[in-house]
Coordinates of all heavy atoms in Angstrom, one line a residue:
Chain B
R10 N 86.6 119.6 109.3 CA 87.7 120.0 108.4 C 88.7 120.9 109.1 O 89.9 120.8 109.1 CB 87.1 120.7 107.2 CG 88.2 121.2 106.2 CD 87.5 121.3 104.9 NE 86.8 120.1 104.7 CZ 87.1 119.2 103.8 NH1 88.2 119.4 103.0 NH2 86.5 118.1 103.6
D20 N 99.0 117.6 103.2 CA 98.8 117.6 101.8 C 99.7 118.6 101.1 O 100.5 119.2 101.7 CB 97.3 117.7 101.4 CG 96.8 119.0 102.0 OD1 97.6 119.8 102.5 OD2 95.6 119.3 101.9
I21 N 99.5 118.7 99.9 CA 100.3 119.5 99.1 C 100.2 121.0 99.5 O 101.1 121.8 99.4 CB 100.0 119.4 97.6 CG1 101.1 119.8 96.7 CG2 98.7 120.2 97.2 CD1 100.9 119.5 95.3
S36 N 103.7 120.9 93.2 CA 103.4 119.8 92.3 C 104.5 119.7 91.2 O 105.0 118.7 90.9 CB 102.0 120.0 91.6 OG 101.8 119.1 90.6
Y62 N 106.7 114.3 103.8 CA 105.4 114.3 103.0 C 105.6 113.4 101.8 O 106.6 113.2 101.3 CB 105.1 115.7 102.5 CG 104.2 115.8 101.3 CD1 102.8 115.7 101.5 CD2 104.7 115.9 100.0 CE1 101.9 115.8 100.5 CE2 103.8 115.9 99.0 CZ 102.4 115.8 99.2 OH 101.6 115.9 98.1
N65 N 99.5 111.8 97.7 CA 98.4 110.9 97.8 C 98.2 110.2 96.4 O 97.8 110.9 95.5 CB 97.1 111.6 98.2 CG 95.9 110.7 98.3 OD1 95.8 109.7 97.6 ND2 95.0 111.0 99.2
R69 N 96.4 111.6 92.8 CA 97.2 111.6 91.6 C 96.6 110.8 90.5 O 96.5 111.3 89.4 CB 98.5 111.0 91.9 CG 99.6 111.9 92.3 CD 100.9 111.2 92.5 NE 101.9 112.1 92.2 CZ 103.2 111.8 92.4 NH1 103.5 110.6 92.8 NH2 104.1 112.7 92.1
Chain D
dA14 P 84.0 123.5 101.1 OP1 84.2 123.0 102.4 OP2 84.2 124.9 100.8 O5' 84.8 122.6 100.0 C5' 86.0 121.9 100.4 C4' 85.6 120.5 100.8 O4' 84.5 120.1 100.0 C3' 86.7 119.6 100.7 O3' 87.1 119.0 101.9 C2' 86.2 118.5 99.7 C1' 84.7 118.8 99.5 N9 84.4 118.8 98.1 C8 84.4 119.9 97.2 N7 84.1 119.6 96.0 C5 83.8 118.2 96.0 C6 83.5 117.2 95.1 N6 83.2 117.6 93.8 N1 83.3 116.0 95.5 C2 83.6 115.7 96.7 N3 83.9 116.4 97.8 C4 84.1 117.7 97.3
dC15 P 88.6 119.0 102.3 OP1 88.6 119.2 103.8 OP2 89.3 119.9 101.4 O5' 89.1 117.6 101.9 C5' 88.3 116.4 102.0 C4' 88.9 115.4 101.1 O4' 88.0 115.4 99.9 C3' 90.3 115.7 100.5 O3' 91.2 114.9 101.3 C2' 90.2 115.3 99.1 C1' 88.8 115.0 98.8 N1 88.2 115.6 97.6 C2 87.5 114.9 96.7 O2 87.3 113.7 96.9 N3 86.9 115.5 95.6 C4 87.2 116.8 95.4 N4 86.6 117.4 94.3 C5 88.0 117.6 96.3 C6 88.5 117.0 97.4
dG16 P 92.5 115.6 101.8 OP1 93.0 114.8 102.9 OP2 92.2 117.0 102.1 O5' 93.5 115.6 100.6 C5' 93.9 114.3 100.1 C4' 94.6 114.5 98.8 O4' 93.6 115.0 97.9 C3' 95.7 115.5 98.8 O3' 96.8 115.0 98.1 C2' 95.1 116.7 98.1 C1' 94.2 116.0 97.1 N9 93.1 116.8 96.5 C8 92.5 117.9 97.1 N7 91.5 118.4 96.4 C5 91.6 117.6 95.2 C6 90.8 117.7 94.0 O6 89.9 118.5 93.8 N1 91.1 116.7 93.1 C2 92.1 115.8 93.3 N2 92.3 114.9 92.3 N3 92.8 115.7 94.4 C4 92.5 116.6 95.3
dA17 P 98.2 115.6 98.1 OP1 99.2 114.4 98.1 OP2 98.3 116.5 99.2 O5' 98.3 116.4 96.8 C5' 99.2 116.0 95.7 C4' 98.4 115.5 94.6 O4' 97.0 115.9 94.8 C3' 98.8 116.1 93.2 O3' 99.7 115.2 92.6 C2' 97.5 116.2 92.5 C1' 96.4 116.1 93.5 N9 95.6 117.4 93.7 C8 95.7 118.2 94.7 N7 94.8 119.3 94.6 C5 94.2 119.0 93.4 C6 93.2 119.8 92.7 N6 92.7 120.9 93.1 N1 92.9 119.3 91.5 C2 93.4 118.2 91.0 N3 94.3 117.4 91.6 C4 94.7 117.9 92.8
dT18 P 100.7 115.8 91.5 OP1 101.6 114.7 91.2 OP2 101.2 117.1 92.0 O5' 99.7 116.1 90.3 C5' 99.2 115.1 89.5 C4' 98.5 115.6 88.3 O4' 97.5 116.6 88.8 C3' 99.3 116.3 87.3 O3' 98.8 115.9 86.0 C2' 99.1 117.8 87.6 C1' 97.6 117.8 88.1 N1 97.2 118.8 89.0 C2 96.1 119.6 88.6 O2 95.5 119.4 87.6 N3 95.7 120.6 89.5 C4 96.3 120.8 90.7 O4 95.9 121.7 91.5 C5 97.4 120.0 91.0 C7 98.2 120.2 92.3 C6 97.8 119.1 90.2
dT19 P 99.7 116.1 84.7 OP1 99.5 114.9 83.8 OP2 101.1 116.4 85.1 O5' 99.1 117.4 84.0 C5' 97.6 117.4 83.9 C4' 97.2 118.8 83.4 O4' 97.0 119.7 84.6 C3' 98.3 119.5 82.6 O3' 97.6 120.2 81.6 C2' 98.9 120.5 83.6 C1' 97.6 120.9 84.4 N1 97.9 121.5 85.7 C2 96.9 122.3 86.2 O2 95.9 122.7 85.6 N3 97.2 122.8 87.4 C4 98.3 122.6 88.2 O4 98.4 123.1 89.3 C5 99.3 121.7 87.6 C7 100.5 121.3 88.4 C6 99.0 121.2 86.4
dT20 P 98.3 120.5 80.2 OP1 98.2 119.3 79.4 OP2 99.6 121.2 80.4 O5' 97.3 121.6 79.5 C5' 95.9 121.5 79.8 C4' 95.4 122.9 80.1 O4' 95.7 123.3 81.5 C3' 96.0 124.0 79.2 O3' 94.9 124.8 78.7 C2' 96.9 124.8 80.1 C1' 96.2 124.6 81.4 N1 97.0 124.8 82.6 C2 96.6 125.6 83.7 O2 95.5 126.2 83.7 N3 97.4 125.7 84.7 C4 98.7 125.1 84.9 O4 99.3 125.2 85.9 C5 99.1 124.3 83.8 C7 100.4 123.6 83.8 C6 98.3 124.2 82.7

Side-chain angles (χ1 to χ4, degrees):
Chain B
R10 174 157 317 249
D20 59 8
I21 204 173
S36 172
Y62 161 83
N65 180 328
R69 266 184 150 174

